[in-house]
Amino acid sequence: MDPNKPSSEELDIFKLSPEEVYSNLGTSKDGISEAEAKKRLGIYGLNQIEEVKQKPLIFKFLENFYNILALLLWAASVLAFIAGIFQLGFAIIGVIVINAIFSFWQEYEAEKATEALKKILPSTAKVIREGKESKILASSLVPGDIIVLEEGDNISADSRLVEAFQLKVDNSTLTGESRPVRKESEGMSGENHSFLEMHNLVFAGTSVAAGSGKAVVFATGAKTEFNKIATLTQAVKEVQSPLQKEINKLARMIAAIAILMGFTLFIVNVFVIDFPLELAFIFAIGLTVANVPEGLLPTVTLALAASAKKMVSKNALIKKLSSVETLGSTTIICTDKTGTLTKNEMTVRKIWIPCEIVEVTGAGYTSQGKFLHKGQEIGYDEMKELKLLMRTSAFCNDAKLIPPKKEGGKWKILGDPTEASLLVAAAKSGFNLEEEIKKIPRIIELPFDSKRKSMSSIHQKEDKKVAYIKGAPKKIISLSSYISQNGKIRPFSDEEKEKIVKKHDELASQGLRILAMAYRDLPHDFTDYTPETVEKDMIFLGMMAMQDPPRPEVHDAVEQCHKAGIRIIMITGDYGLTARAIAEEIGIISGPCEIVKGKELTEMSDDEVGQLLKSGCDVIFARAIPEHKLRIASILEDEDEIVAMTGDGVNDAPALRKADIGISMGITGTDVAKEASDMVLTDDNFASIVEAIKQGRTIYENIRKFITYIFAHETAEIIPFVLMVLFKIPLPITVMQILAIDLGTDTLPALALGVGPSEADVMDRPPRSRKERLLNLGVILRGYIFLGLIEAALVMSGYFWILSSGGWQLGQSLPFSDPLYIKATTMVFVGIVTAQIGNLLGCQTSRTSTFKIGVFKNRWIPMGIAFEVAVVLSIVYIPYLQSIFNTTALGINEWLYVVTFIPIMFFADELRKYIMRKRN
């Protein structure tokens, strides 16, 4: 085979006859030789997923050593070594390493979509080479190889069928459709079919559901449709989450402030106060370190990890920590219908036979339920049309019901859920399929075809043959020439057909999916089994209307979304009227609604779609395919929306990667979809998405709370340096004590705030704007100014109290080793920690009173306080730590003094919240 020849698509391989396929692909019925296979392998390469080169993990780890905060700390460390303060220099390096490890934790949860794609491809394939059948590694397949297909086999490469015997292929990994597709080997025109829909082509990553066949490989490795999806999935670039962007902006802001203040202090100390250069260095480093919240990145990471763990109990598995917060910013949810908004348990609800309605009770796939006609229970054999309808629905069917292994267990199905619901309905009516099929065996099946929208099952009944047909109502009605009513067969007029079509639309508008049934008696010598000869002049029997009922909890979840200002867009492959009825039932839409069919969407430009989405009207995308999801996600993101997208198939993966939050289904989803997503729903339930959004909003608010908490002591650490310069007092706190607070006492309490419960109104506010800053004016005023200045005033009062009680006077210098100075700095250190306990209790809420939610409702709060107390007592009373942090033991009077800081800080913030509530 010449590699310079046109590709298989350019050759229109689907148009060729089997004999022409052999010729065009350079092979024969005996296959190619081993020598030729080796030669082609050199030309086309291995049959495996082509990976886009990713950045090595080691580089991702090293990146954490040169972000803006890390560079600032490196500079402080270098200055410490220059000044000869080696202990401080090594301590700051330790901070950098700790931050790098915690930050890398997020990166380590990297994408594994390619690995999941590889797992789907089989490791071996059956081929015919040199006239002999053998097994080879799937990676060794080359164009021109003949592969042998049998039931249960995975398909290893894109191939053109040359033989097919009742062959059905499961294309769900590529198309998302669970119904097995009938395949044939004859050539076809290709009109009105996409490449994936060609009935004589099979594709890598799919599997044989039934039958057998042979196919000639025409595309391997990078050229397969499967690999195109893989490449597209990997090509979608990673973008930073809103929180990551905010943290980076915050880091740059803090760095600028720290550098400016450190440099200013150094200049003032050297040229104004005339400090020795070494001492000026120490103070500049101290102020720089005081401005850097060293514990911020580890605390954010730990808080996100704890929140992700909490969300597992809410049936939402978060794969990327930053996604937790992104969920809270979500403005639009693009959701599937089946299985996400509904139970994915198709159930027949109504049966229409000419001029009569039969109600069906029960739900799910168990046979518990009744047939009710005018309120009275009936069986399938009490009406001729009903009996024939049940026979048609059960005979014209490829699904199977699997009973539970244990009593009380759940029934499962094999095959299409719609067909399974027909079997269940037949069982409820009393129809015994096994006995009936023995008496009236199947001769041949004309499988469902999406073009003709029907399926026929031909059976031998005594001395005649009968074709039982089911399909799309409008199609079946148009092909029927007769109608059966009250046991009598009469001509089917056009006027009556129009009335029944209206009845169909009426049922569809109730959220019901509808199939029509008909039959036709065939001559005993009939042999021309084609759709054209079988499916005509039929006798119309009636329609069966089924529903996949909405999940009961979804209605409340949708209502929460509306209250939270989140828009919901349904993207479904279902019929438009059915989708609309479900959307109305669960509250997604309540007024006018635009239903856009897949074909219409394809013909619309991006600008037209964008205008439609911006118009504010409710939109449902019906008869959509997974490729439409990627396009919709791209258009919405261009409009600056934060999009959560659901999906479960392989070809949903690009859309899941493109969306801000890709949400895959844990039960029905493919491995590829799960790996491409940011979140996996372990129960496939829309309500779990809303719970996750609530948690996402909560974590953002909680991050603000612990930033407020951290900034309060940042002010209390900075003010001593300012006072030192203004009033020439001894430095009230040492750099090592600052590090002890930032990375020691404050870490666990800040984390406790990060995993706190939601406030009552968290879902009563619109989504946060992309432009809204994490560090906004409210956080600055509350943390840096209000709480920070109160805390600074308290600790400085303790500092001056100790110094004055020891005889110190303003303007007097004290050496760092002076016991009075050590005691005074210890008082400041302990004062900041105790003030932070009161701050911790108050920062649990932003607006509501802490008493309303419970001061200790968050079980991490008492643990955080106990941790703070343990650390500060260790530093103050353990001799070894005293020497490192320049502290000394305090007496009972000093402790009584600083303990008052707790209620002062707490009630000060409670007063602020009370005033805010009154003003609002």
Side-chain angles (χ1 to χ4, degrees), residues 652-677:
D652 283 330
L656 294 175
R657 287 287 293 271
K658 176 63 178 173
D660 295 282
I661 291 291
I663 304 171
S664 63
M665 304 298 112
I667 299 173
T668 59
T670 61
D671 286 344
V672 177
K674 292 173 188 175
E675 291 298 338
S677 64

Side-chain angles (χ1 to χ4, degrees), residues 239-261:
V239 295
Q240 289 186 320
S241 74
L243 179 61
Q244 288 171 322
K245 293 175 182 176
E246 282 299 301
I247 293 294
N248 287 339
K249 288 176 183 175
L250 180 59
R252 289 194 293 270
M253 186 186 304
I254 291 170
I257 293 171
I259 292 170
L260 180 62
M261 292 185 72

